[in-house]
Amino acid sequence: DADVTQTPRNRITKTGKRIMLECSQTKGHDRMYWYRQDPGLGLRLIYYSFDVKDINKGEISDGYSVSRQAQAKFSLSLESAIPNQTALYFCATRLAGGNNEQFFGPGTRLTVL
Amino acid sequence: GIQVEQSPPDLILQEGANSTLRCNFSDSVNNLQWFHQNPWGQLINLFYIPSGTKQNGRLSATTVATERYSLLYISSSQTTDSGVYFCAVLYSGYALNFGKGTSLLVTP
């Protein structure tokens, strides 16, 4: 089984809808991240969490919110989706005190019509 | 913030050829990772290499932290090597800063 899983893997939704993307990990890592990737670009950070009670905004947090339900689960929500949020979304994890290596989930392809 | 520049932006190779991808970064970093994004969009960890040299099969990487660059070598390329290769650095202690990638196409 994959260490970092994301659901759904693909989603098409309409403008104005609320949508939640979920991430789960079995790596035992405490740090979790949400990134988005737009065509032809690298990834940019949306939110990150160092533990269940520690959530921080990243570079492009506007229009998004997150919830860290447990150490192993980190969800990303779009309260009212808009077309320019169409992108590939990645969840990542890292172990604090480790070697700083981040591990990524398989990604969620989101299309907002 | 830190700048991460990758070159070349695009590369086309014939199967069996070798290639070198470069990543330049503008400041000291705590971490450097190379990823391969396959045609299905998945990010595959290739190397965690803040300094030194590592090898994994046909791939190897070298980071010269004092000169702020890293190189990814692909030898005897195969069609399955096609995709986008990203360099990412950990600068501020919490998130990776990605370059724009090198898009590689290996033809039969």
Side-chain angles (χ1 to χ4, degrees), chain A residues 21-69:
Chain A
L21 309 182
E22 299 186 340
C23 176
S24 294
Q25 52 108 353
T26 59
K27 298 184 74 69
H29 290 177
D30 45 357
R31 304 194 174 194
M32 298 186 74
Y33 307 80
W34 276 104
Y35 292 87
R36 72 175 269 177
Q37 182 183 27
D38 295 285
L41 298 179
L43 280 66
R44 292 181 294 164
L45 183 68
I46 306 172
Y47 269 94
Y48 63 102
S49 171
F50 284 175
D51 63 38
V52 174
K53 297 181 180 180
D54 183 6
I55 292 177
N56 303 278
K57 293 182 177 180
E59 179 187 355
I60 52 166
S61 60
D62 287 350
Y64 301 95
S65 62
V66 291
S67 174
R68 186 82 183 265
Q69 302 96 323

Side-chain angles (χ1 to χ4, degrees), chain B residues 88-102:
Chain B
V89 301
L90 188 68
Y91 173 62
S92 56
Y94 58 85
L96 289 173
N97 289 263
F98 282 76
K100 292 186 178 181
T102 292

Side-chain angles (χ1 to χ4, degrees), chain B residues 15-87:
Chain B
E15 204 166 21
N18 303 327
S19 62
T20 300
L21 282 57
R22 187 177 181 101
C23 173
N24 293 332
F25 42 96
S26 60
D27 206 340
S28 300
V29 298
N30 299 316
N31 173 17
L32 188 144
Q33 291 184 245
W34 282 98
F35 297 91
H36 174 215
Q37 187 167 38
N38 64 24
W40 295 271
Q42 295 181 327
L43 278 173
I44 310 299
N45 285 40
L46 296 178
F47 294 101
Y48 167 80
I49 186 164
S51 64
T53 297
K54 291 186 178 180
Q55 182 160 4
N56 184 3
R58 296 180 295 104
L59 273 60
S60 64
T62 295
T63 297
V64 183
T66 54
E67 298 186 19
R68 300 178 184 170
Y69 73 89
S70 184
L71 302 174
L72 177 69
Y73 305 95
I74 304 174
S75 64
S76 304
S77 58
Q78 301 176 358
T79 56
T80 52
D81 294 332
S82 297
V84 182
Y85 289 80
F86 287 103
C87 166

Side-chain angles (χ1 to χ4, degrees), chain A:
Chain A
D1 288 338
D3 294 325
V4 185
T5 57
Q6 293 183 231
T7 56
R9 295 292 311 280
N10 290 281
R11 180 71 182 267
I12 300 174
T13 191
K14 294 182 178 180
T15 298
K17 294 291 187 181
R18 183 180 189 276
I19 185 168
M20 179 182 288
L21 309 182
E22 299 186 340
C23 176
S24 294
Q25 52 108 353
T26 59
K27 298 184 74 69
H29 290 177
D30 45 357
R31 304 194 174 194
M32 298 186 74
Y33 307 80
W34 276 104
Y35 292 87
R36 72 175 269 177
Q37 182 183 27
D38 295 285
L41 298 179
L43 280 66
R44 292 181 294 164
L45 183 68
I46 306 172
Y47 269 94
Y48 63 102
S49 171
F50 284 175
D51 63 38
V52 174
K53 297 181 180 180
D54 183 6
I55 292 177
N56 303 278
K57 293 182 177 180
E59 179 187 355
I60 52 166
S61 60
D62 287 350
Y64 301 95
S65 62
V66 291
S67 174
R68 186 82 183 265
Q69 302 96 323
Q71 186 187 43
K73 296 183 182 295
F74 192 35
S75 300
L76 176 72
S77 293
L78 287 68
E79 297 302 325
S80 179
I82 56 177
N84 75 1
Q85 291 177 312
T86 293
L88 187 55
Y89 290 83
F90 288 97
C91 173
T93 71
R94 179 166 81 87
L95 180 64
N99 66 2
N100 291 323
E101 186 174 6
Q102 288 192 20
F103 297 86
F104 285 78
T108 294
R109 195 171 297 276
L110 176 66
T111 302
V112 183
L113 301 176

